[in-house]
């Protein structure tokens, strides 16, 4: 008799796993148990309602480098199912994807409803049973069967796949099963400035900033930076928030952000300023345009140093040059708190990957128990990589189960 499969969680990972298993083995009885009364709710709000399904980066090694938690485990997983497989998979279901210039891929409809419909229609076609308002509260294994508690209801299955994302209830279940998990902390967020002196500049962005955190100096991120009305955002800040999610949480979101506004090299910028002193002594420093920054930002930085508007290069002196270099290459801001990046956010933390067989996503030391998606200690930079981890893991489970039975 075909083994029964319970998938816990009706989100991206739960659905992709259920559908792929059913596509390969039509006689597996599969049930998806969802705690809430809504399916795929994160899919629907993802990517600002457009669902950034995947990314154009397809080389498994390069792809794995986009996962601050998981990079050292994911290359073989992406070797089995990478972003091009995702594109093909959706195209085979009639969902065409398009790429944007930064590599993010969306359905051509620009609507996450397309992905939702694709999953719901496939689940129906494949006979997958879906049960809403079933919150798993406990599970235990006895004589070849998993026993599942859903508050008052109880169920019995051969195989259980956990795809719940992270929450306190699930962490307690893992604890009871002795499955090690890292505590969840937010990843992918923007920084709030304490006394936001650059608030009048909100909306201004630079394309080539270097950002780092004085208290956690090991990581410098490069890329666009956006001044917002509450602080700082943009790809460079989001990357920093992701790579240092755990360390920033440990600082209680209080730290000093250091900004090099245009990837300036200190030495060459210093020479550039000294040549202004030598060659243009009577020109006003304020009118200098060698900085390649938006003019309003340059004026703000210049004025923040307390120089008189008419000061010229011959008057600025060594101290003045040093101050200019400092404000351009190491502008420091006190950060206090974070804000949600509405397009995409995830939790770092979850089941430790060394307790999972990554060639099947089976949890070690437990028979017929698997985990996939955000419940695992895998999270990525923004760009469709978080969904990709869910698709790849789900696919690997489906391959493993279809080979097994
Ligand atoms: C606003 C937002 C936008 C995002 N945009 C993108 C994007 O564009 N691209 C991208 O790659 N990633 C994006 N992400 C991240 C992406 O949504 C997640 O990585 C992905 O949804 C994880 O899928 P999952 O199935 O593991 O978890 P989830 O999508 O969280 O699904 C888990 C499901 O399990 C259910 N559940 C929880 N506990 C239980 C229980 N005890 N019993 C039964 N059911 C339970 C939950 O109700 C939920 O429905 C976004 C996230 C957010 C919050």
């Amino acid at each position: 008799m075909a083994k029964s499969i319970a998938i816990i969680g009706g989100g991206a990972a739960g659905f992709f796993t259920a559908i792929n298993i059913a596509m390969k083995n039509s006689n597996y009885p599969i049930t998806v148990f969802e705690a809430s009364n809504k399916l795929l709710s994160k899919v629907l709000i993802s990517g600002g309602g457009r669902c950034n399904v995947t990314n154009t980066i397809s080389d498994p090694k390069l792809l794995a480098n986009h996962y601050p938690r998981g990079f050292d485990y994911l290359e073989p997983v992406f070797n089995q199912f990478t972003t091009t497989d995702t594109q093909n998979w959706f195209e085979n279901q009639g969902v065409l994807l398009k790429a944007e210039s930064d590599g993010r891929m969306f359905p051509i409809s620009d609507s996450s409803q397309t992905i939702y419909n694709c999953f719901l229609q496939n689940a129906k076609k494949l006979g997958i049973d879906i049960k809403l308002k079933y919150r798993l509260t406990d599970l235990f294994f006895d004589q070849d069967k998993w026993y599942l508690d859903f508050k008052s209801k109880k169920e019995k299955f051969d195989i259980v796949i956990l795809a719940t994302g992270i929450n306190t209830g699930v962490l307690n279940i893992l604890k009871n099963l002795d499955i090690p998990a890292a505590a969840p902390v937010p990843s992918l967020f923007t920084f709030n400035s304490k006394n936001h002196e650059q608030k009048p500049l909100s909306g201004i962005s630079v394309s080539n900033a270097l950002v780092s955190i004085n208290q956690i100096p090991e990581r410098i991120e490069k890329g666009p930076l956006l001044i917002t009305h509450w602080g700082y955002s943009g790809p460079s800040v989001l990357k920093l928030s992701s790579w240092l999610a755990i360390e920033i949480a440990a600082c209680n979101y209080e730290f000093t952000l250091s900004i090099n506004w245009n990837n300036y090299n200190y030495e060459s910028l210093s020479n550039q300023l000294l040549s202004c002193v030598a060659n243009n002594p009577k020109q006003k420093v304020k009118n200098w345009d060698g900085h390649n920054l938006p003019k309003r930002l340059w004026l703000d930085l210049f004025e923040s140093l307390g120089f008189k508007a008419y000061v010229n290069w011959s008057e600025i002196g060594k101290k003045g040059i040093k101050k200019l270099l400092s404000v351009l290459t190491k502008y420091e801001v006190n950060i206090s708190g974070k804000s949600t990046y509405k397009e995409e956010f995830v939790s770092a933390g979850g089941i430790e990957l060394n307790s999972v067989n990554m060639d099947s996503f089976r949890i070690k030391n437990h028979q017929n128990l698997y985990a996939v998606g955000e419940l695992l200690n895998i999270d990525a930079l923004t760009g469709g990589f978080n969904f990709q981890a869910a698709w790849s893991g789900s696919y690997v489970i489906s391959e493993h189960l279809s080979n097994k039975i």
Side-chain angles (χ1 to χ4, degrees), residues 7-15 33-43 45-54 104-106 131 133-137 150 162-167 169-170 173 188 340-347 372-376 378 380-391:
I7 296 181
I8 316 300
F15 265 86
F33 293 98
E34 165 55 44
S36 71
N37 60 359
K38 282 193 193 127
L39 297 167
L40 296 161
S41 39
K42 279 197 201 164
V43 166
I45 56 167
S46 65
R50 295 197 299 144
C51 190
N52 178 193
V53 187
T54 187
R104 292 180 302 158
M105 299 197 76
F106 297 87
K131 293 197 187 299
K133 296 194 190 165
Y134 271 70
R135 178 176 295 279
L136 183 74
T137 50
F150 297 95
L162 300 171
T164 54
I166 317 179
N167 58 58
V170 174
I173 296 174
L188 292 178
T340 304
Y341 173 59
K342 292 197 180 64
E343 292 264 318
E344 180 173 356
F345 55 90
V346 277
S347 288
V372 67
E374 217 176 303
L375 174 61
L376 295 170
I378 295 175
L381 306 182
T382 180
F385 303 108
N386 282 302
F387 278 140
Q388 184 57 47
W391 313 143

Side-chain angles (χ1 to χ4, degrees), residues 264-281:
Y264 297 115
N265 173 283
Y266 190 93
E267 287 305 310
S268 38
L269 185 63
S270 170
N271 290 337
Q272 205 183 334
L273 298 181
L274 290 173
S275 83
C276 290
V277 175
N279 301 326
N280 309 312

Side-chain angles (χ1 to χ4, degrees), residues 159-366:
I159 296 170
V160 174
I161 299 168
L162 300 171
T164 54
I166 317 179
N167 58 58
T168 327
V170 174
L171 285 171
N172 284 336
I173 296 174
L174 297 178
K175 207 170 167 191
N176 293 341
L177 292 170
D178 278 332
I179 300 170
V185 295
S187 181
L188 292 178
F189 47 85
T190 69
F191 299 160
N192 297 354
S193 168
K194 211 168 194 167
N195 304 307
H196 193 15
E197 284 168 7
Q198 293 193 314
K199 189 174 177 177
L201 301 180
S202 60
I204 287 185
S205 64
V206 292
S207 57
N208 208 13
L210 295 181
V211 290
S212 58
I213 291 175
N214 288 2
Q215 292 81 350
I216 321 162
E218 62 265 22
R219 189 109 205 151
I220 299 174
E221 286 300 334
K222 187 176 162 189
L225 172 77
L226 172 70
I227 302 172
T228 64
H229 67 267
W230 65 88
Y232 297 86
S233 179
S236 58
V237 163
L238 291 168
K239 277 193 273 178
L240 205 57
S241 80
S242 180
W243 279 104
L244 298 180
I246 290 157
E247 293 83 351
I248 295 176
C251 289
N252 210 14
Y253 304 96
E254 304 266 347
F255 56 87
T256 309
L257 175 69
S258 175
I259 305 170
N260 175 330
W261 292 100
N262 192 26
N263 192 12
Y264 297 115
N265 173 283
Y266 190 93
E267 287 305 310
S268 38
L269 185 63
S270 170
N271 290 337
Q272 205 183 334
L273 298 181
L274 290 173
S275 83
C276 290
V277 175
N279 301 326
N280 309 312
K282 296 294 164 212
Q283 275 184 17
K284 285 184 187 164
V285 177
K286 190 178 172 182
N287 294 341
W288 179 56
D289 61 2
H291 45 74
N292 290 326
L293 296 176
K295 196 168 173 196
R296 276 177 59 209
L297 172 59
W298 158 249
L299 290 178
D300 177 82
L301 297 174
F302 174 79
E303 279 157 20
S304 75
L305 297 175
F307 293 135
K308 300 272 187 288
Y310 52 77
V311 72
N312 67 32
W313 288 104
S314 70
E315 293 161 337
I316 194 153
K318 271 189 188 159
K319 261 193 184 165
I321 296 281
K322 224 172 165 187
K323 279 183 175 181
L324 276 177
L325 282 166
S326 164
V327 87
L328 289 166
T329 64
K330 202 171 173 30
Y331 183 85
E332 293 184 334
V333 193
N334 288 330
I335 299 297
S336 177
K338 59 177 171 49
S339 289
T340 304
Y341 173 59
K342 292 197 180 64
E343 292 264 318
E344 180 173 356
F345 55 90
V346 277
S347 288
I351 298 179
E352 300 286 10
L353 299 186
N354 58 9
S355 59
V356 178
N357 286 310
M358 297 303 283
D359 54 356
S360 61
F361 281 66
R362 188 180 65 75
I363 297 176
K364 289 177 188 167
N365 303 328
H366 287 282

Side-chain angles (χ1 to χ4, degrees), residues 53-69:
V53 187
T54 187
N55 197 280
T56 50
I57 295 170
S58 62
D59 175 77
K61 200 181 181 77
L62 287 181
L63 191 54
N65 284 338
H66 290 75
Y67 294 80
R69 266 71 44 192

